[in-house]
Amino acid sequence: MMLLPDLQLFKAEFFKALAHPVRIRLLEVLRHGERSVQELQAALTVDQSTVSQHLAILRAKHVVASRKEGTTVRYAVRDARVGALLDVSRAIFNAQLTGSQTMLRALRRESRRPPRRRATRPA
Amino acid sequence: MMLLPDLQLFKAEFFKALAHPVRIRLLEVLRHGERSVQELQAALTVDQSTVSQHLAILRAKHVVASRKEGTTVRYAVRDARVGALLDVSRAIFNAQLTGSQTMLRALRRESRRPPRRRATRPA
DNA sequence: TGACTATATAAGAATATCGCCATATAAAGA
DNA sequence: TCTTTATATGGCGATATTCTTATATAGTCA
């Protein structure tokens, strides 16, 4: 049966694009600015073809855009509101995760400013 | 390989919960208030077991909660921010859908106040 | 208890998604 | 042109989702 308006189908496709741990990580890196495939690969520690495949999916769903620059390709989030989306969902997780101390800590860690690699060793 | 932190996995599970047209429709009805399974079923025109199965998924991911009331079971969204999430994504679609006139119209129709069934016929 | 209603769950077939490996394309430099 | 580097894509086995059909559970009323 089914027969639902295309619009809901379209929305579902969009959420599907976010429904994978690798793609979430990709977006959480990309929301801080444009990145090359190499940089993304380094940040995630998954292999090249996997990163490329997930980027292809995000591209197909129009979540990210790619721009060629010489040999490398740089990716960026297409709509800044994707950041807002991740923030709202973070707030929801936060409320939901009252159980797991470990995940709660990880979540809090994420929401702090980008961990600005420490320059000097602590006193 | 893989080895991503549990947190991202958890987030992906959450988005997966939204990544289906039927579940999106369910949430878009539920965000306006508690509903029984029957009401949901009537609103979506999909059959009983399908609605129940999708509700089970939303329940498993803690997106909705169920409350028994006599013979019937009433469902509600657990976190009001889910509404905000749907709104942000709507905004993103809106920007994205500059191509499809049909979907654009459907999207606009959705964002108007609940269509409050007209009481008198137009003049 | 039996019949009826509302909802949930199980099992299976069809389909989709995922990760991995190999290979393809494309730019740049020798 | 040959090589190297950066990225994309095709094929495949493993796993996960989804719908359908049938059945199970639970509340209500007679």
Side-chain angles (χ1 to χ4, degrees):
Chain A
M1 159 161 318
M2 191 40 101
L3 251 166
L4 292 172
D6 284 348
L7 178 57
Q8 316 304 118
L9 215 153
F10 182 82
K11 291 187 184 177
E13 287 304 311
F14 176 78
F15 283 116
K16 256 189 216 168
L18 309 189
H20 190 287
V22 169
R23 297 197 286 272
I24 294 199
R25 293 218 60 193
L26 286 172
L27 290 177
E28 282 179 350
V29 174
L30 286 176
R31 69 179 291 197
H32 299 303
E34 208 187 41
R35 295 283 189 283
S36 73
V37 178
Q38 292 184 96
E39 290 166 334
L40 292 169
Q41 203 176 323
L44 303 209
T45 27
V46 297
D47 62 60
Q48 187 267 319
S49 94
T50 300
V51 173
S52 246
Q53 279 176 96
H54 285 292
L55 286 171
I57 291 173
L58 291 173
R59 225 183 323 123
K61 308 293 175 59
H62 303 99
V63 181
V64 302
S66 64
R67 185 171 69 79
K68 210 157 190 177
E69 197 177 66
T71 321
T72 84
V73 178
R74 325 206 84 230
Y75 280 84
V77 173
R78 252 166 176 285
D79 189 319
R81 278 164 290 206
V82 168
L85 201 76
L86 293 174
D87 286 338
V88 176
S89 54
R90 188 200 308 290
I92 296 176
F93 303 142
N94 198 30
Q96 218 167 107
L97 285 176
T98 45
S100 164
Q101 285 307 311
T102 312
M103 290 213 238
L104 252 188
R105 267 197 303 279
L107 192 68
R108 301 255 167 67
R109 207 176 308 126
E110 271 189 3
S111 56
R112 280 197 275 282
R113 282 309 95 228
R116 311 270 62 208
R117 196 183 323 287
R118 178 164 50 214
T120 62
R121 86 161 73 83
Chain B
M1 157 164 318
M2 192 40 102
L3 250 166
L4 291 172
D6 283 349
L7 179 56
Q8 317 304 118
L9 216 152
F10 181 82
K11 292 187 184 178
E13 287 305 311
F14 175 78
F15 284 117
K16 256 188 216 170
L18 309 189
H20 190 287
V22 169
R23 296 196 288 272
I24 294 199
R25 292 217 60 194
L26 286 173
L27 291 177
E28 283 179 348
V29 174
L30 285 175
R31 69 179 291 197
H32 297 303
E34 208 187 41
R35 295 284 189 281
S36 73
V37 178
Q38 291 184 94
E39 291 167 333
L40 293 169
Q41 205 176 320
L44 302 210
T45 28
V46 297
D47 62 60
Q48 186 266 317
S49 94
T50 300
V51 173
S52 244
Q53 281 178 82
H54 285 292
L55 286 170
I57 291 172
L58 291 173
R59 228 184 319 124
K61 308 291 174 59
H62 304 100
V63 182
V64 303
S66 64
R67 184 170 70 78
K68 208 153 190 181
E69 196 177 70
T71 321
T72 84
V73 177
R74 325 207 83 230
Y75 279 85
V77 173
R78 253 167 175 284
D79 190 319
R81 278 165 290 205
V82 167
L85 202 74
L86 294 174
D87 286 337
V88 175
S89 55
R90 190 202 306 293
I92 296 177
F93 304 142
N94 199 26
Q96 216 166 108
L97 285 176
T98 46
S100 164
Q101 285 308 310
T102 311
M103 289 214 242
L104 252 188
R105 267 197 303 279
L107 193 67
R108 300 253 169 68
R109 207 174 310 126
E110 272 189 2
S111 56
R112 279 198 276 281
R113 282 308 92 231
R116 307 272 62 205
R117 196 183 320 290
R118 179 162 51 212
T120 62
R121 86 161 71 83

